[in-house]
Amino acid sequence: MTPAAQKFVLHWGEMGQAWGINRTMAQVHALLFIAPTALDAEEISSLLDVSRSNVSTSLRELITWGVVRRVHIIGDRRDRFEALKDVMDTFRVIMAERRRREMDPTISLLEHCIEEAEAGGDAEAYTREQLNKMLAFTKMVTDWYGHIENLPTPAMLRLFRGGTIIAKLFSKGGKGAKPGFAPEDSVEPLDEEEEAPPTPSRK
């Protein structure tokens, strides 16, 4: 690997650990992302200086996530692997998988905890209030991603690039606004004459 490629692979591995992902798994993904051609497990093992068994485990997990796929070349009996090359497609897949593995179970747990807290009567009033705030926020974030994940890539890029403008547009009270989040802030009803825009389908 070139020095630049090696630095990227090593950093991606460190970032993977910060996100709760196995370091080798993140490094395998980084290597396949920057590799101009599909690589087999032996090549990956050699380039990363990790065991074949570790590479195989990482590849299976990455395939499950949907960011790596197995490819075959005519005349070559070896399995080769390549990563999604489009950054936005990679973002969509990773976010959807993290939502399935992290956000959905968290929502289920919070709902269960709230049910238990409700059975505690007045003694758990404050606990219920805090859990309801967390549940409302988690649902809001999950719903927000649900709205944008099917946007066509050009529309999603415009959304990201317009972040500063959007933040200013939706600011309430400017610098003096009170920080925090209340469940009632998560949904604002539409005016009678307004209609919710249809969710665009992914192209």
Side-chain angles (χ1 to χ4, degrees):
M1 285 189 287
T2 65
Q6 187 175 41
K7 287 181 181 178
F8 171 70
V9 169
L10 291 173
H11 178 72
W12 206 246
E14 294 171 359
M15 289 297 296
Q17 284 190 307
W19 298 333
I21 299 172
N22 178 275
R23 175 184 291 186
T24 301
M25 176 179 162
Q27 288 182 348
V28 170
H29 174 251
L31 176 62
L32 293 176
F33 179 77
I34 61 174
T37 59
L39 303 175
D40 62 41
E42 188 64 41
E43 291 171 324
I44 297 171
S45 176
S46 176
L47 288 168
L48 296 180
D49 193 23
V50 295
S51 68
R52 276 289 302 274
S53 60
N54 208 346
V55 168
S56 297
T57 300
S58 298
L59 287 169
R60 284 195 298 269
E61 187 69 10
L62 288 166
I63 290 171
T64 299
W65 275 66
V67 293
V68 166
R69 68 187 184 101
R70 183 182 284 105
V71 297
H72 297 95
I73 299 175
I74 295 177
D76 190 344
R77 299 178 59 182
R78 294 170 298 177
D79 286 338
R80 292 180 176 273
F81 305 89
E82 67 178 9
L84 290 176
K85 299 299 185 180
D86 186 276
V87 175
M88 295 305 297
D89 286 343
T90 302
F91 168 79
R92 293 177 197 274
V93 171
I94 291 176
M95 291 302 296
E97 189 65 15
R98 290 188 71 96
R99 182 178 66 177
R100 184 183 72 82
R101 294 182 181 221
E102 300 170 15
M103 302 300 285
D104 291 348
T106 298
I107 289 174
S108 296
L109 175 67
L110 286 169
E111 290 174 339
H112 180 69
C113 289
I114 289 170
E115 289 179 4
E116 289 189 348
E118 288 174 346
D122 294 340
E124 296 216 56
Y126 183 74
T127 300
R128 287 197 306 272
E129 179 184 353
Q130 292 301 98
L131 289 175
N132 272 303
K133 288 179 181 179
M134 182 61 70
L135 177 62
F137 175 77
T138 306
K139 282 185 172 180
M140 182 184 68
V141 172
T142 304
D143 290 344
W144 176 83
Y145 180 71
H147 288 309
I148 71 165
E149 66 176 335
N150 289 322
L151 285 174
T153 294
M156 188 177 288
L157 288 171
R158 288 196 299 273
L159 176 64
F160 290 159
R161 290 168 179 161
T164 302
I165 297 174
I166 293 173
K168 291 180 180 178
L169 179 64
F170 288 97
S171 292
K172 292 182 178 180
K175 294 182 179 179
K178 182 180 179 180
F181 173 82
E184 61 268 19
D185 292 332
S186 60
V187 178
E188 295 185 1
L190 296 173
D191 295 335
E192 292 183 0
E193 296 181 357
E194 288 184 298
E195 293 184 0
T199 301
S201 59
R202 179 182 172 188
K203 293 181 179 179

